[in-house]
């Protein structure tokens, strides 16, 4: 058997090690500029949860970080499962950090002593805290709440007893009552906008602000804190300008830095075509002073902040075209002189990791503290000198994994062109192993490749593990500025895969007869498009929904959804655009598909893709698994490890003819063996429908 040359599991970079690494976020520098507070999150497979811990560390790095508090269960977005930022705020005297946490079944504001001696709740509200501010003197904490927990439960009970009226707020595909798994407990979710953002029942209840006297611990109703600058108060850059993406108020003199997006044509990727960075003397000023330097032109700027005590706006730029692929740089714009100077140009992310890729850096006058990560280097905390750009590692909880990946399966950036001359970039984890057949198989995932690539977008395909067991793995970056046409946008992914396989095969580095592909969300759509329009893929694995009549029907009450489908997919209802449906939807491409497909779906989405999944299962071309209580991006640790391991098993089976001898997996291999036998029968009989 071909796979006999390889071990059952990776010897060094196992799926478990990738899952249980430490993620770092929310760095905040103390008022005296000498310490940083940050939070670490780590999965526990045994308890099926995540532990979060707040630390405080001196910026000189002379001592390790001090644990100061339990951060509670991570707060997550309802619809996609991603962790929400949880910024800490320092007291003016530097004795305390304040943070929002779900502990004891409620979201409250807590504070922890910076010396680690004590942590305590500050709010005891019957409603969960949405936001909070610490007054300038540090003696009063203001916080906002919505509906009380009791009111939410009562509303859920009424809907359960009297029936749920189906309207534009109901996520039909996800279930009706308590169908979401939010912060460790079931919750009802409802749409909060015209696309797929969701929140809890009664999320539309307006903010109610309260104030706590921190000396007496008495709470009272309070007015909302004054908005010194908001999108509504900023004069537009010009008549056609979009609403500002970011606003930053100078801490000393009230000047306002404004970041206005320039949207990319169409949708389907996460990029914008650029942003305009400008400055106003105050929120009411109508005269924008724009950054005219080349470093500001046509750039994807993700964040802006004033450097205290200076005329400099620090901004973070994500560069999608550089030699290293998706990377970030930090620069400083002097609003008086108009000059822009580079501070640091990285080979990866400086604002998070692949899981939390947009966490702001902490900032003082002299330093930034950022979460840095590269394709094959897990997240770590670094200081960056704002004058010299010097970088220094402050805290590296994943140093062992970092060293082991570097020693076994390091990644490198590759570039190639397709037949149209379009240049793509990707990160290749090239296996050091060669099987009896010579060149190794290749697995590729397509979408975005930023930060530490433990499992690609959605974190489902352990790339380093695959490389260690003998399957080279590649993360391909979608091109920025995606076409508004669905077919052109998705066929780009097919062309990217076919052209890179041709190049690597010609170099003797991959076996073009053993190619795997996988993706989540847009990546799953591209994967389904590729297996229906190309013979390049041997086996595929997806988690995500492609456009189907059921998907359209379930969401068709919402005007914004219908207009979005018309704009980005060029689809109306089935009876309105029947030809376009036949061009686009895999529900009409089942007879074209010859590739075995593994579906590992979240519960809230799988109903909307059964139009093509079930016919493929019936034809023994699909194997379908659904994970309960999961959103768009799965997050429960036991589910994550199951997805990781099954994906490794799947691609080893199809690309290496390897079966794990673990008796607990015997049933899955019986299913896959039947699928392989059915495929071989069709090939022998010539029973493939022509494309």
């Amino acid at each position: 058997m071909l796979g006999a040359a390889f071990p059952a599991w990776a010897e060094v970079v196992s799926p478990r090690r990738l899952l249980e690494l430490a993620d770092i976020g929310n760095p905040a520098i103390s008022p005296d500029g000498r310490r940083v507070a940050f939070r670490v999150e780590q999965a526990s497979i045994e308890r099926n949860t995540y532990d979060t811990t707040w630390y405080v560390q001196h910026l000189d790095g002379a001592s390790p970080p001090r644990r100061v508090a339990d951060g509670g269960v991570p707060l997550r977005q309802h619809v996609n499962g991603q962790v929400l930022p949880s910024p800490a705020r320092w007291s003016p005297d530097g004795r305390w950090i304040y943070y929002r946490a779900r502990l004891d079944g409620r979201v409250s504001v807590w504070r922890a002593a910076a010396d680690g001696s004590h942590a305590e709740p500050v709010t005891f509200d019957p409603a969960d805290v949405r936001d909070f501010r610490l007054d300038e003197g540090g003696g009063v904490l203001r916080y906002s709440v919505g509906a009380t927990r009791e009111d939410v439960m009562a509303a859920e009970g009424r809907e359960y007893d009297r029936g749920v009226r189906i309207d534009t707020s109901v996520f039909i595909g996800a279930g009706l009552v308590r169908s979401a798994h939010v912060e460790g407990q079931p919750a009802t979710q409802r749409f909060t906008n015209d696309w797929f953002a969701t929140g809890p029942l009664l999320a539309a209840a307006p903010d109610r602000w309260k104030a706590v006297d921190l000396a007496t611990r008495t709470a009272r109703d309070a007015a909302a804190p004054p908005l010194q600058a908001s999108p509504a108060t900023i004069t537009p850059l010009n008549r056609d300008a979009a609403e500002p993406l970011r606003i930053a108020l100078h801490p000393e003199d009230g000047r306002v830095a404004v970041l206005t997006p320039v949207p990319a044509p169409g949708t389907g990727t996460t990029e914008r075509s650029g942003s305009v960075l400008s400055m106003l003397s105050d929120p009411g000023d109508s005269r924008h002073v724009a950054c005219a330097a080349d470093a500001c032109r046509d750039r994807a700027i993700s964040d802006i902040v004033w450097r205290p005590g200076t005329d400099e706006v620090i901004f973070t730029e994500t560069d999608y075209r550089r030699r290293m692929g998706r990377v970030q740089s930090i620069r400083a714009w002097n609003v008086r002189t108009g000059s822009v100077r580079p501070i640091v140009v990285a080979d990866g992310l400086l604002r998070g990791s692949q899981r939390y890729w947009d966490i702001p850096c902490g900032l003082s006058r002299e330093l930034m503290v950022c979460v840095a990560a590269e394709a094959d280097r897990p997240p770590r905390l670094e200081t960056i000198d704002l004058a010299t750009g010097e970088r220094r590692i402050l805290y590296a909880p994943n140093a062992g994994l970092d060293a082991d990946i570097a020693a076994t399966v390091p990644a490198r950036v590759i570039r190639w062109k397709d037949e149209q001359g379009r240049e793509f970039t990707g990160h290749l984890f090239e296996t050091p192993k060669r099987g009896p057949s010579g060149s190794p198989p290749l697995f590729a995932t397509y979408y975005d490749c930023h930060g530490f690539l433990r499992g690609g977008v959605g974190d489902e395909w352990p790339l380093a593990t695959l490389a260690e067991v003998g399957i080279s793995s590649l993360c391909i970056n979608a091109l920025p500025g995606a076409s508004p046409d669905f077919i052109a946008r998705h066929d780009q992914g097919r062309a990217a895969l076919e052209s890179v396989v041709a190049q690597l095969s010609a170099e003797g580095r991959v076996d073009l007869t053993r190619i795997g592909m996988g993706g989540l969300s847009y990546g799953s759509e591209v994967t389904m498009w590729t297996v229906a329009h190309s013979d390049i893929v041997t086996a595929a694995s997806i988690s995500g929904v492609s456009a189907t009549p059921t998907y359209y029907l379930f969401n068709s009450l919402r005007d914004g959804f219908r207009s979005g489908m018309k704009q980005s997919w060029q689809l109306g209802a089935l009876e309105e655009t029947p030809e376009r449906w036949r061009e686009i939807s895999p529900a009409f491409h089942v007879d074209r598909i010859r590739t075995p497909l593994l579906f590992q779906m979240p519960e809230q989405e799988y109903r909307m893709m059964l139009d093509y999944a079930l016919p493929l299962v019936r034809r023994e071309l699909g194997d379908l698994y659904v994970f309960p209580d999961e959103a768009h991006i799965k997050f429960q640790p036991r589910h994550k490890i199951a997805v990781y391991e099954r994906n490794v098993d799947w691609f080893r089976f199809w690309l290496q003819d390897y079966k794990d001898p673990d008796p607990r997996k015997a049933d899955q291999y019986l299913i896959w063996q039947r699928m392989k036998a059915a495929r071989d029968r069709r090939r022998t009989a010539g029973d493939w429908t022509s494309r």
Side-chain angles (χ1 to χ4, degrees):
M1 185 168 65
L2 177 63
F6 302 114
W9 278 113
E11 297 171 345
V12 177
V13 190
S14 67
R16 188 181 187 109
R17 286 192 75 187
L18 291 171
L19 178 60
E20 291 185 335
L21 68 79
D23 275 296
I24 309 169
N26 309 287
I29 296 179
S30 61
D32 63 7
R34 298 172 59 188
R35 293 163 295 167
V36 61
F38 58 92
R39 196 179 76 171
V40 172
E41 176 190 328
Q42 201 156 17
S44 168
I45 297 172
E46 285 74 19
R47 291 180 289 110
N48 198 33
T49 190
Y50 292 83
D51 297 314
T52 65
T53 305
W54 281 100
Y55 291 89
V56 170
Q57 186 173 12
H58 283 274
L59 291 174
D60 60 13
S63 57
R66 175 186 290 116
R67 183 190 188 280
V68 299
D70 179 0
V73 179
L75 302 175
R76 297 181 181 275
Q77 294 181 1
H78 280 225
V79 71
N80 64 18
Q82 288 184 306
V83 172
L84 293 167
S86 182
R89 293 180 172 89
W90 284 84
S91 62
D93 59 10
R95 292 180 56 208
W96 302 92
I97 61 167
Y98 291 80
Y99 53 93
R100 200 166 61 110
R102 178 178 286 279
L103 290 162
D104 303 322
R106 60 179 182 267
V107 181
S108 306
V109 178
W110 284 65
R111 71 176 183 178
D115 63 6
S117 61
H118 180 59
E120 61 187 9
V122 176
T123 64
F124 300 86
D125 205 275
D128 288 344
V129 174
R130 293 175 169 176
D131 193 8
F132 72 94
R133 314 281 173 82
L134 196 61
D135 279 10
E136 200 168 302
V140 176
L141 182 135
R142 297 176 186 268
Y143 68 95
S144 67
V145 295
T148 67
R149 289 180 292 275
E150 184 177 345
D151 286 345
V152 173
M153 291 181 64
E156 289 178 337
R158 286 192 298 272
E159 288 200 339
Y160 188 91
D161 292 339
R162 298 176 61 83
V164 178
R165 182 178 183 273
I166 303 301
D167 60 18
T168 57
S169 71
V170 177
F171 194 168
I172 298 170
L176 299 177
V177 176
R178 297 194 175 184
S179 62
H181 193 75
V182 181
E183 287 91 55
Q185 61 187 29
T188 298
Q189 60 180 335
R190 294 290 182 261
F191 286 123
T192 56
N193 71 6
D194 283 338
W195 197 237
F196 280 96
T198 64
L201 197 63
L202 306 186
D207 282 341
R208 294 179 291 116
W209 283 87
K210 300 183 180 182
V212 176
D213 185 304
L214 295 175
T216 65
R217 296 303 178 88
T218 56
R220 57 179 173 80
D221 292 336
L227 289 175
Q228 295 174 300
S230 71
T233 64
I234 297 297
T235 303
L237 183 68
N238 57 56
R239 182 181 300 176
D240 300 320
E243 185 175 277
L245 178 71
R246 295 280 192 276
I247 295 171
L249 189 70
H250 197 291
E252 285 110 28
D253 58 28
R255 285 178 293 179
V256 182
V258 181
L259 185 64
T260 304
V262 179
T267 59
T269 64
T270 58
E271 294 88 339
R272 303 180 311 275
S273 64
S275 307
V276 176
L277 177 58
S278 61
M279 188 271 294
L280 302 172
S281 61
D282 61 64
D285 190 3
S286 61
R287 295 164 296 176
H288 287 255
V289 178
C291 177
D294 288 343
C296 292
R297 294 177 184 273
D298 218 12
R299 306 287 178 145
I301 300 173
S302 57
D303 196 37
I304 54 174
V305 63
W306 289 91
R307 183 182 177 189
T310 74
D311 295 315
E312 288 188 326
V313 176
I314 308 297
F315 64 92
T316 304
E317 173 210 344
T318 303
D319 190 335
Y320 300 104
R321 299 182 183 275
R322 264 190 57 212
R323 180 178 178 276
M324 297 301 293
R326 306 297 205 251
V327 297
Q328 289 185 325
S329 303
I330 296 176
R331 306 179 192 276
W333 171 41
N334 189 304
V335 298
R336 289 196 183 277
T337 67
S339 63
V340 173
R341 64 181 180 89
I343 296 174
V344 64
V345 178
D347 292 335
L349 290 187
L350 292 169
R351 289 172 48 84
S353 66
Q354 165 61 182
R355 188 173 292 179
Y356 318 108
W357 66 273
D358 200 22
I359 298 295
C361 299
L363 180 73
S364 70
R365 182 184 174 96
E366 289 79 25
L367 293 174
M368 296 187 82
V369 178
C370 302
V371 180
E374 290 84 51
D376 56 357
R377 299 197 63 193
R380 61 203 177 273
L381 202 64
E382 291 191 0
T383 62
I384 300 173
D385 188 298
L386 290 174
T388 67
E390 179 186 359
R391 298 170 64 176
R392 179 170 53 87
I393 295 177
L394 186 65
Y395 178 53
N398 304 302
L401 179 62
D402 189 348
D404 286 342
I405 292 176
T408 55
V409 283
R412 68 185 188 87
V413 174
I414 62 172
R415 303 176 77 88
W416 70 98
K417 292 182 179 181
D418 68 1
E419 292 182 350
Q420 297 183 35
R422 296 175 297 191
E423 187 173 50
F424 292 89
T425 62
H427 294 270
L428 177 66
F429 292 78
E430 191 162 14
T431 181
K433 299 181 178 179
R434 296 293 185 270
S437 66
S439 300
L442 176 73
F443 167 80
T445 184
Y446 180 88
Y447 198 166
D448 275 340
C449 310
H450 44 242
F452 179 55
L453 298 177
R454 72 186 98 189
V457 172
D459 188 21
E460 301 221 348
W461 300 270
L463 303 179
T465 301
L466 286 166
E468 193 183 354
V469 298
I471 301 173
S472 291
S473 55
L474 172 66
C475 183
I476 303 174
N477 285 307
L479 296 178
S483 168
D485 178 77
F486 175 95
I487 293 176
R489 191 166 67 243
H490 289 68
D491 202 55
Q492 174 195 108
R494 176 204 56 78
L497 180 65
E498 289 185 345
S499 54
V500 74
V501 167
Q503 176 174 308
L504 294 176
S505 174
E507 296 169 357
R509 292 160 61 191
V510 303
D511 180 349
L512 59 76
T513 68
R514 295 184 292 152
I515 304 298
M517 188 176 189
L520 179 139
S521 193
Y522 173 52
S524 72
E525 292 183 88
V526 170
T527 300
M528 289 303 302
W529 178 266
T530 301
V531 299
H533 295 84
S534 174
D535 292 318
I536 192 69
V537 180
T538 308
S541 164
I542 69 167
S543 178
V545 178
S546 294
T548 69
T550 299
Y551 171 72
Y552 191 93
L553 177 66
F554 278 10
N555 296 284
S556 59
L557 288 180
R558 295 180 290 134
D559 292 340
F561 172 83
R562 296 196 308 275
S563 63
M565 292 296 288
K566 179 69 76 174
Q567 177 182 353
S568 298
W569 279 259
Q570 296 81 54
L571 287 172
L574 182 59
E575 64 274 14
E576 295 172 356
T577 55
E579 293 302 319
R580 188 64 170 174
W581 275 103
R582 280 190 281 272
E583 283 185 304
I584 285 177
S585 176
F588 300 96
H589 298 161
V590 171
D591 289 341
R592 301 171 59 94
I593 294 173
R594 307 172 185 179
T595 303
L597 282 150
L598 175 64
F599 300 100
Q600 301 207 80
M601 298 296 298
E603 185 178 19
Q604 77 172 24
E605 293 183 359
Y606 84 99
R607 299 171 183 87
M608 297 182 287
M609 47 78 74
L610 295 179
D611 308 55
Y612 55 89
L614 291 183
L616 289 168
V617 171
R618 287 200 306 268
R619 297 179 64 205
E620 295 186 288
L621 277 170
D623 195 15
L624 172 62
Y625 296 81
V626 179
F627 290 85
D629 296 327
E630 288 289 8
H632 187 57
I633 296 175
K634 304 176 194 71
F635 59 86
Q636 295 184 53
R638 290 178 190 166
H639 290 167
K640 298 294 288 188
I641 196 68
V643 167
Y644 269 178
E645 292 182 352
R646 188 173 291 120
N647 271 325
V648 174
D649 289 345
W650 175 259
F651 287 108
R652 297 201 72 186
F653 177 81
W654 291 101
L655 305 183
Q656 293 179 317
D657 196 25
Y658 178 89
K659 290 190 285 189
D660 189 335
D662 187 338
R664 293 171 297 181
K665 298 179 179 180
D667 288 346
Q668 84 176 7
Y669 287 113
L670 286 174
I671 295 167
W672 298 350
Q673 198 64 53
R674 287 199 301 269
M675 294 173 67
K676 184 175 285 188
R679 180 201 63 178
D680 293 343
R681 285 195 305 272
R682 290 190 183 100
R683 284 179 173 175
T684 301
D687 189 27
W688 289 114
T689 302
S690 172
R691 295 187 192 278

